[in-house]
Amino acid sequence: MKVLLTGANGYIGRRLLPVLLEAGNEVICCVRDKTRLSHPKHKNLHIFEADFLEGIDINTAPLDFDIAFFLIHSMGSSLRGFETLEKRTALNFKTYIEHSTAQQVIFLSGISNAENLSKHLTSRLQVESYLKSDKYALTILRAGIIVGSGSASFEIIRDLVEKLPVMIAPRWLNTLSQPIAIRDVIKYLMGVMLHPECMNQIFDIGGADVLSYKQMLLDFAKVRKLRRWIFTLPVMTPRLSSYWLFMVTSTSYKLAVNLVDSMHAEVVARDNKLSKLLEIKPIAYKTAVQLAFQRIEQNMVISSWKDSLVSSTKHNTLADYVEVPTYGCFKDHRSRKLEHPQEDVIKNIWSIGGEKGWYYGNFLWKIRGVMDKMVGGVGLRRGRTNSDQINAGDALDFWRVLLAEKNKGRLLLYAEMKLPGEAWLEFKLTKKNELTFITQTATFRPNGLWGRAYWYLVLPFHFFIFEGMLKNIERSYPSYS
């Protein structure tokens, strides 16, 4: 079959793509930025660059496919107005698909059975209506919390459980939910493809357990063999709850606000008829957590919510930032001759950030991360998706990976912390007179007078941190503090 996959750089899309290809399908990946698509080249993989917020040029777009997946959402992109963005995206997508040969559109929506729905779930419900058409069959799968390595829900629960032995939590932790394993979500998405009994149908999909958020936290702790105590208070307002979630976990503030808004409504499936139709036995919550950690321990995390650009929302594409500016900028440029094997140095560069740290003054980096969180930034808690792999578009603590050319020994990062300007950090191996050097360049483009003052204020720290970082990367030390 020929399949159009939107949201191919998102959490679900990255998981679904290899499964579609392994099943022998021809896949057209519809992405805003093709440089971020990290899947290896495949004879049945085609890439189409497009932005559904702007509309699609029918004259240049691929139109020959059987199925289209709509996996685009905007919940993490703004506090207000994401409903308008989702409406525009859905209607542009619908117009495009109506000009194609598609027989079926598959939409992953949210369970919306509660009387009082959140703004997010209301928007998802409205998108369902926008996608309906006489030109194709619409299949809607409604899911709640998705449990899998790298999912937003999983990582937030992980942050809470592993960092807080005692939690004083808001009362929405008593709300019921039916979490579903990412493996089951992929099975359902694959199973409904051109299935005659799934055309123009809506299905709730859920896992084997109905749990409160509090019970999910406690069960997660049991899987991790941790003892945790949780006390709920009725006095924590949605605003305080959002601040609490933002400060304790790696989520952005915008996503925290929208998540808290969603968690007031029960997210429980009405029935499980699709599991019987497709003969899928839902995975239990504890098993889903265990499977997720197996992936993490094996460094096999395929996708993470943090690698989605909406987790920072500062930019839509990477191409606008790959060319590091020269004029009107401050630069800290350092270079060292390699005294150790080039492959070891590259390995060190590709291991930077996350649990490994930044090779010098990690305590100072952590302080900078806390300061960033305090002013609404992303902080250091995002870490990195895998310990030994970096791809363009990945989140790397409070940086975004712009280029990751391992064969050339070049890594280019763009700062997503709160700054009075813009910042880039580049590592690159170069040759001169038969010798190999590692160069490290920090570039800062200030925004006004305050931006210039900021650069001079942190200049003394740069001298020690950047010099020490470069020295330790070249020395190939196994660990740093």
Side-chain angles (χ1 to χ4, degrees), residues 160 167-177 211-218 230-233 241 244-245 263-264:
L160 292 172
M167 291 180 232
I168 308 299
R171 61 185 176 185
W172 50 255
L173 253 65
N174 295 320
T175 305
L176 294 178
S177 180
L211 306 166
S212 67
Y213 291 108
K214 178 179 179 178
Q215 190 60 52
M216 288 170 63
L217 289 166
L218 293 174
I230 302 174
F231 304 95
T232 57
L233 296 177
S241 299
W244 175 73
L245 202 62
M263 288 175 177
H264 287 86

Side-chain angles (χ1 to χ4, degrees), residues 109-395:
S109 185
I111 292 177
S112 51
N113 300 326
E115 291 185 6
N116 298 315
L117 297 177
S118 66
K119 291 181 181 179
H120 166 60
L121 290 176
T122 300
S123 179
R124 296 274 85 186
L125 201 59
Q126 291 173 341
V127 169
E128 293 178 14
S129 65
Y130 301 144
L131 292 177
K132 290 179 181 178
S133 173
D134 295 331
K135 301 291 181 67
Y136 55 77
L138 177 62
T139 301
I140 299 170
L141 303 185
R142 294 174 174 172
I145 283 183
I146 297 176
V147 182
S149 55
S151 77
S153 303
F154 176 87
E155 295 298 338
I156 288 171
I157 291 173
R158 182 183 179 185
D159 279 344
L160 292 172
V161 170
E162 295 188 351
K163 295 174 181 176
L164 300 177
V166 179
M167 291 180 232
I168 308 299
R171 61 185 176 185
W172 50 255
L173 253 65
N174 295 320
T175 305
L176 294 178
S177 180
Q178 192 169 356
I180 180 171
I182 180 61
R183 299 183 186 212
D184 284 347
V185 174
I186 300 301
K187 287 180 183 178
Y188 284 123
L189 289 170
M190 293 290 295
V192 300
M193 291 172 57
L194 294 186
H195 194 298
E197 296 184 55
C198 298
M199 298 297 202
N200 290 313
Q201 296 294 318
I202 300 175
F203 301 99
D204 284 1
I205 57 174
D209 305 307
V210 176
L211 306 166
S212 67
Y213 291 108
K214 178 179 179 178
Q215 190 60 52
M216 288 170 63
L217 289 166
L218 293 174
D219 284 354
F220 193 103
K222 289 178 182 177
V223 172
R224 300 297 290 157
K225 296 180 172 56
L226 298 170
R227 295 188 67 184
R228 294 294 182 260
W229 292 267
I230 302 174
F231 304 95
T232 57
L233 296 177
V235 296
M236 291 190 74
T237 65
R239 180 181 291 273
L240 286 175
S241 299
S242 300
Y243 284 137
W244 175 73
L245 202 62
F246 167 67
M247 292 305 300
V248 174
T249 72
S250 58
T251 185
S252 67
Y253 179 67
K254 294 174 183 178
L255 184 57
V257 171
N258 290 322
L259 284 172
V260 168
D261 182 47
S262 297
M263 288 175 177
H264 287 86
E266 288 192 357
V267 185
V268 179
R270 280 179 177 162
D271 56 58
N272 213 10
K273 60 183 179 181
L274 187 60
S275 66
K276 297 175 183 177
L277 179 63
L278 301 181
E279 297 182 349
I280 296 173
K281 184 179 179 180
I283 297 173
Y285 173 70
K286 286 184 180 179
T287 303
V289 173
Q290 290 169 343
L291 291 171
F293 273 101
Q294 286 178 15
R295 285 279 185 178
I296 293 169
E297 290 163 1
Q298 296 167 2
N299 283 324
M300 294 177 63
V301 181
I302 299 173
S303 62
S304 171
W305 74 273
K306 294 174 286 189
D307 296 332
S308 170
L309 291 186
V310 297
S311 72
S312 65
T313 69
K314 194 165 187 176
H315 43 260
N316 291 329
T317 65
L318 303 179
D320 296 336
Y321 299 85
V322 169
E323 292 296 328
V324 182
T326 301
Y327 298 103
C329 297
F330 294 109
K331 288 184 180 288
D332 184 294
H333 181 82
R334 300 172 190 272
S335 181
R336 288 180 66 88
K337 184 179 70 173
L338 293 196
E339 303 289 349
H340 297 84
Q342 179 174 316
E343 56 270 22
D344 289 349
V345 176
I346 293 177
K347 184 178 179 180
N348 272 354
I349 296 172
W350 253 249
S351 301
I352 201 166
E355 293 184 5
K356 183 83 170 184
W358 291 84
Y359 293 98
Y360 187 86
N362 280 338
F363 180 68
L364 295 174
W365 283 97
K366 290 177 182 178
I367 292 176
R368 183 64 180 87
V370 172
M371 292 170 61
D372 192 53
K373 268 280 188 179
M374 294 297 290
V375 295
V378 295
L380 282 177
R381 290 200 181 108
R382 292 191 307 186
R384 49 183 293 162
T385 301
N386 290 293
S387 62
D388 58 356
Q389 298 178 38
I390 299 178
N391 297 297
D394 285 359

Side-chain angles (χ1 to χ4, degrees), residues 419-438:
L419 287 170
E422 295 178 292
W424 290 258
L425 181 60
E426 181 179 26
F427 301 93
K428 187 176 182 180
L429 297 187
T430 57
K431 286 188 177 292
K432 185 177 181 181
N433 299 329
E434 303 301 320
L435 298 175
T436 303
F437 293 82
I438 176 174

Side-chain angles (χ1 to χ4, degrees), residues 57-124:
D57 184 355
I58 303 300
N59 297 317
T60 59
L63 301 174
D64 181 22
F65 45 87
D66 307 302
I67 302 166
F69 283 93
F70 186 72
L71 301 178
I72 304 172
H73 69 88
S74 304
M75 184 175 75
S77 63
S78 61
L79 296 178
R80 301 179 183 86
F82 64 83
E83 305 98 322
T84 303
L85 299 178
E86 293 203 325
K87 178 180 180 180
R88 189 191 314 165
T89 299
L91 292 177
N92 286 336
F93 172 84
K94 175 184 175 180
T95 300
Y96 168 42
I97 301 303
E98 286 182 335
H99 284 82
S100 75
T101 60
Q103 303 172 49
Q104 181 190 28
V105 167
I106 301 172
F107 173 44
L108 182 60
S109 185
I111 292 177
S112 51
N113 300 326
E115 291 185 6
N116 298 315
L117 297 177
S118 66
K119 291 181 181 179
H120 166 60
L121 290 176
T122 300
S123 179
R124 296 274 85 186

Side-chain angles (χ1 to χ4, degrees), residues 314 365 368-369 371-373 375-379 398-400 413-425 442-458 462 466:
K314 194 165 187 176
W365 283 97
R368 183 64 180 87
M371 292 170 61
D372 192 53
K373 268 280 188 179
V375 295
V378 295
F398 42 43
W399 301 87
R400 178 73 59 177
L413 309 176
Y414 179 78
E416 291 188 329
M417 73 278 280
K418 294 287 186 179
L419 287 170
E422 295 178 292
W424 290 258
L425 181 60
T443 302
F444 181 68
R445 180 161 59 186
N447 184 10
L449 185 60
W450 168 232
R452 294 176 179 275
Y454 171 83
W455 173 263
Y456 289 112
L457 284 171
V458 298
H462 285 176
F466 287 148

